[in-house]
Amino acid sequence: MNKEYDSLKLENQLCFPLYACSKEIIKKYKPFLDELDLTYTQYITMMVLWDKKQVNVTELGSRLFLDSGTLTPLLKKLEAKGYITRSRSDEDERILNVTITEKGEALKEEAVKVPQEMMGCVRLTKDEAKLLYGILYKILGGVSE
């Protein structure tokens, strides 16, 4: 066996289980999010807005690790559903602000059950989940610099 190529084996790649877990977990979200008529990326966008109420597109992209090419159509769809409004900043017209609407805020009441439902899909203790969360954000911090 040639050890020179061991690094090319799938089982030696950290990225693969991260990718596969992400894909499988998002798949588990689908039935819950279908009830809300949201995609996963729309859902995480709404999570930021339920917390912040208003955010500019640049900050939103940074928080979600999404570029403007992904955010623009996503935000247009959320606006068409009546969950958000987009408007230029009065101070600097280059800045596009996203604000949650009353309808978007009301959706929060339906969405509150989603994290609880998902905990049943991911078989981790609270301590394991907390540890994994910290490790994943440590990785994100390193790769996003």
Side-chain angles (χ1 to χ4, degrees):
M1 244 186 180
N2 193 339
K3 297 280 186 199
E4 179 182 359
Y5 299 109
D6 279 357
S7 66
L8 295 177
K9 290 182 178 178
L10 192 59
E11 63 265 20
N12 292 334
Q13 302 302 307
L14 178 61
C15 61
F16 180 71
L18 289 171
Y19 161 77
C21 280
S22 175
K23 189 170 83 57
E24 292 303 310
I25 288 173
I26 290 170
K27 192 187 309 179
K28 292 283 188 186
Y29 268 97
K30 188 166 177 7
F32 306 117
L33 297 181
D34 283 351
E35 290 180 25
L36 303 176
D37 189 30
L38 292 175
T39 64
Y40 182 76
T41 49
Q42 290 171 346
Y43 173 66
I44 61 175
T45 300
M46 292 303 298
M47 290 177 94
V48 172
L49 289 163
W50 288 323
D51 181 43
K52 297 289 185 187
K53 309 306 178 208
Q54 183 179 57
V55 65
N56 71 54
V57 172
T58 304
E59 182 184 343
L60 185 61
S62 293
R63 294 261 331 252
L64 299 176
F65 294 87
L66 297 173
D67 61 32
S68 62
T70 302
L71 273 176
T72 299
L74 177 130
L75 294 173
K76 285 181 179 181
K77 287 178 183 165
L78 288 174
E79 190 171 38
K81 291 177 185 192
Y83 297 147
I84 65 162
T85 59
R86 296 177 302 146
S87 60
R88 295 279 169 200
S89 168
D90 292 336
E91 294 83 38
D92 185 344
E93 66 179 32
R94 295 172 296 180
I95 297 173
L96 184 62
N97 290 319
V98 181
T99 307
I100 195 164
T101 64
E102 284 184 32
K103 184 177 178 182
E105 193 65 45
L107 185 65
K108 184 179 184 178
E109 294 305 314
E110 295 176 59
V112 74
K113 67 181 179 194
V114 174
Q116 296 154 353
E117 296 284 354
M118 285 304 299
M119 285 306 292
C121 298
V122 180
R123 291 179 291 229
L124 293 176
T125 66
K126 285 188 178 191
D127 287 342
E128 289 169 332
K130 188 175 178 180
L131 179 63
L132 179 59
Y133 182 89
I135 291 168
L136 292 173
Y137 268 96
K138 184 176 182 178
I139 292 169
L140 279 173
V143 297
S144 64
E145 291 175 346

